[in-house]
């Protein structure tokens, strides 16, 4: 298939997932239907019941209160994703259409551009498979493990770390109603996590694709500059050949401007979501470590994997984006600028200056989105988890 068809299929897949939650990403006018309100109610019910139950448990013992808040990070990141989708529906929709339009335009410019577009789409599909498999396995385990323990060992544990006031899990009816109520925010949360991650990571991965396209354009300009240099040795005195350098230079500068504007737009749309995702995952890791260092808890162990997995994916993609920025800068630096005219060199210097000062994605203005941040956060999480363990208190 053409790159535009593959990208259109990927966007349609993301929109189909959003429609399951009542959040149509491609519609012109945002509508609130029954499924939308169910999605909105999921974090609200967890916030109400979870905070109330956590307060009651904390009065008995501090560790029980911490156990009741192991999914607090999931509540924060899920709420951030939901609010971003609801409040920034129009810019997200326009961004998806823009990505498809870029594929439609550049698949007509030759095999090299088609290869770059396909390589970027393959990269997105690879991440999509990793995210889908990871979330599917962990959330299915969280849903099925209480049933397995109930049928095989007679042990009653809840899916979410709280109980509903007035319903005792010691009775069959109370446990059944509690399990059904927990299933709703669990399923909505799993689908919502997948949807939010796909929207963000699709937008972020296009930065790498745009950097590859920039390199192709720069290669074309460099070839023209090299032909100009070689022509001086064979042409007659006074003879001049332009080799279409001005048009190639302006095309490269315009694409670099589009690249910069796109990076700033993505950060403007998803900055709060990315920051909430990484920091909420870090807090969840601390809480889950604290609980499991004191005594093993199955639900917190599973959610620890979900949090660490989610934070790692975002930080790895952030590192790849930094590499894309370096790729663009190196490409600009390696141009044969000495073959440009004086006016063309002025334009080149402006582009070089922009490439040297690319604005990286920074979490809440504190730390960059990168693998180094993930490693620092993991080290701090382990230190705090040990500090709160009962052997160190």
């Amino acid at each position: 298939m053409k790159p535009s068809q593959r990208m259109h299929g990927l966007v349609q897949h993301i929109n189909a997932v959003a429609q399951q939650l009542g959040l149509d990403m491609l519609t012109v006018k945002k509508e609130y239907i029954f499924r939308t309100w169910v999605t909105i109610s999921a974090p609200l019910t967890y916030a109400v019941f979870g905070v109330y139950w956590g307060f009651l448990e904390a009065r008995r013992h501090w560790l029980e209160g911490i156990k009741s808040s192991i999914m607090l990070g999931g509540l924060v990141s899920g709420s951030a994703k939901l609010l971003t989708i609801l409040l920034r529906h129009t810019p997200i929709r326009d961004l998806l259409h823009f990505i498809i339009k870029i594929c439609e335009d550049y698949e007509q410019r030759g095999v090299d551009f088609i290869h770059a577009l396909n390589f970027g789409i393959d990269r997105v599909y690879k991440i999509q498979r990793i995210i889908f498999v990871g979330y599917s396995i962990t959330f299915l385990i969280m849903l099925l493990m209480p049933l397995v323990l109930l049928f095989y060992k007679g042990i009653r544990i809840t899916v979410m770390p709280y109980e509903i006031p007035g319903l005792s899990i010691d009775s069959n009816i109370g446990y059944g109603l509690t399990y059904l109520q927990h299933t709703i925010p669990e399923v909505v949360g799993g689908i919502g996590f997948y949807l939010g991650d796909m929207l963000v990571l699709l937008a972020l991965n296009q930065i790498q694709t745009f950097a590859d396209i920039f390199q192709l354009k720069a290669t074309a300009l460099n070839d023209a500059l090299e032909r100009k240099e070689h022509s001086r040795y064979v042409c007659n005195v006074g003879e001049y050949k332009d080799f279409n350098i001005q048009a190639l230079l302006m095309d490269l500068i315009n694409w670099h401007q589009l690249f910069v504007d796109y990076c700033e737009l993505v950060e403007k749309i998803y900055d709060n979501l990315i920051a909430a995702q990484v920091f909420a995952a870090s807090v969840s890791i601390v809480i889950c470590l604290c609980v499991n260092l004191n005594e093993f808890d199955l639900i917190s162990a599973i959610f620890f994997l979900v949090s660490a997995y989610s934070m790692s994916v975002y930080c790895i993609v952030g590192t790849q984006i930094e590499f894309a920025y370096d790729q663009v800068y190196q490409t600009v630096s390696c141009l044969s600028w000495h073959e440009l005219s004086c006016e063309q060199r002025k334009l080149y210097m402006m582009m070089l200056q922009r490439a040297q000062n690319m604005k990286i994605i920074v979490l809440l203005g504190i730390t960059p989105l990168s693998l180094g941040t993930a490693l620092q956060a993991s080290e701090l999480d382990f230190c705090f988890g040990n500090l709160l363990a009962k052997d160190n208190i």
Side-chain angles (χ1 to χ4, degrees):
M1 291 191 298
K2 295 180 179 179
S4 60
Q5 293 175 329
R6 297 182 66 199
M7 181 59 72
H8 187 268
L10 182 60
V11 171
Q12 288 296 332
H13 166 73
I14 295 174
N15 192 51
V17 174
Q19 288 175 341
Q20 300 302 314
L21 301 177
L23 305 169
D24 194 332
M25 302 307 304
L26 300 181
T27 184
V28 176
K29 185 178 180 182
K30 180 174 56 181
E31 296 182 358
Y32 290 86
I33 59 178
F34 176 74
R35 280 178 290 182
T36 310
W37 293 113
V38 171
T39 301
I40 295 174
S41 68
L44 293 177
T45 55
Y46 176 77
V48 173
F49 291 125
V51 171
Y52 175 75
W53 185 258
F55 177 73
L56 293 180
E57 291 295 293
R59 294 178 64 181
R60 291 198 303 116
H61 192 274
W62 68 271
L63 183 59
E64 297 299 323
I66 291 181
K67 277 186 181 181
S68 301
S69 59
I70 58 175
M71 294 187 181
L72 183 62
L75 172 65
V76 173
S77 62
S79 300
K81 291 175 181 177
L82 179 60
L83 288 173
T84 300
I85 292 173
L86 291 175
L87 299 179
R88 298 178 178 176
H89 173 270
T90 300
I92 292 175
R93 183 199 66 215
D94 294 341
L95 189 67
L96 293 175
H97 287 307
F98 173 75
I99 292 172
I100 295 175
K101 185 177 183 300
I102 290 294
C103 292
E104 292 175 345
D105 292 343
Y106 279 85
E107 69 185 9
Q108 303 175 8
R109 300 199 177 190
V111 177
D112 291 336
F113 288 99
I114 292 177
H115 177 73
L117 293 171
N118 278 325
F119 186 75
I121 296 172
D122 290 339
R123 191 162 44 218
V124 176
Y125 271 112
K126 185 183 298 183
I127 294 177
Q128 182 258 340
R129 286 192 293 270
I130 294 173
I131 294 174
F132 180 79
V133 171
Y135 280 144
S136 298
I137 292 176
T138 51
F139 278 91
L140 279 176
I141 291 176
M142 294 174 69
L143 283 173
L144 296 179
M145 190 57 68
L147 297 179
V148 172
L149 292 176
L150 176 64
F151 289 129
Y152 285 92
K153 293 187 177 182
I155 300 175
R156 300 192 178 195
I157 65 172
T158 58
V159 177
M160 310 290 282
Y162 66 83
E163 297 180 21
I164 301 174
L167 292 178
S168 175
I169 63 173
D170 294 328
S171 66
N172 293 333
I173 295 178
Y175 184 79
L177 292 176
T178 301
Y179 183 85
L180 289 176
Q181 194 280 326
H182 286 186
T183 301
I184 296 174
E186 187 76 11
V187 172
V188 170
I191 298 175
F193 282 1
Y194 174 74
L195 171 63
D197 290 349
M198 282 304 301
L199 286 172
V200 176
L201 297 176
L202 172 63
L204 292 178
N205 270 278
Q206 296 313 301
I207 295 177
Q208 296 174 265
T209 302
F210 287 5
D212 293 338
I213 293 177
F214 180 85
Q215 189 166 12
L216 291 175
K217 291 175 176 286
T219 300
L221 175 60
N222 233 7
D223 291 342
L225 293 172
E226 290 178 1
R227 290 197 302 270
K228 178 183 177 182
E229 180 181 4
H230 293 318
S231 69
R232 290 202 300 268
Y233 301 105
V234 297
C235 65
N236 298 323
V237 177
E239 185 178 351
Y240 173 76
K241 293 183 180 180
D242 182 66
F243 295 100
N244 204 27
I245 292 176
Q246 181 68 23
L248 292 172
L249 177 62
M250 292 307 301
D251 184 44
L252 184 66
I253 292 174
N254 289 334
W255 182 257
H256 185 263
Q257 183 61 49
L258 183 145
F259 175 81
V260 173
D261 292 343
Y262 178 84
C263 295
E264 293 177 352
L265 177 61
V266 170
E267 183 178 11
K268 182 179 179 181
I269 294 175
Y270 294 117
D271 56 348
N272 294 329
L273 190 158
I274 295 173
Q277 175 71 28
V278 175
F279 282 109
S282 181
V283 171
S284 295
I285 292 173
V286 172
I287 296 175
C288 293
L289 272 176
C290 174
V291 172
N292 281 277
L293 287 175
N294 283 276
E295 60 181 25
F296 178 74
D297 181 75
L298 180 62
I299 299 299
S300 64
I302 297 173
F303 200 72
F304 169 83
L305 297 177
V306 175
S307 302
Y309 171 80
S310 178
M311 183 178 69
S312 300
V313 170
Y314 273 75
C315 291
I316 289 173
V317 172
T319 300
Q320 292 176 340
I321 292 174
E322 290 185 351
F323 290 157
Y325 290 165
D326 292 340
Q327 175 186 343
V328 170
Y329 172 67
Q330 292 175 3
T331 302
V332 175
S333 302
C334 292
L335 285 174
S336 300
W337 58 268
H338 52 277
E339 293 296 331
L340 298 173
S341 64
C342 292
E343 294 299 323
Q344 291 171 344
R345 289 181 186 181
K346 292 179 182 178
L347 297 174
Y348 168 78
M349 289 301 298
M350 293 174 60
M351 180 174 60
L352 179 61
Q353 185 178 10
R354 292 294 299 274
Q356 288 175 327
N357 297 281
M358 285 296 297
K359 186 179 179 182
I360 62 174
I361 299 177
V362 180
L363 304 177
L364 298 179
I366 301 174
T367 181
L369 178 67
S370 65
L371 195 56
T373 299
L375 295 175
Q376 292 175 359
S378 300
E379 183 179 355
L380 289 174
D381 291 343
F382 187 74
C383 291
F384 280 117
N386 274 310
L387 184 64
L388 294 174
K390 65 182 180 181
D391 292 338
N392 296 326
I393 292 179

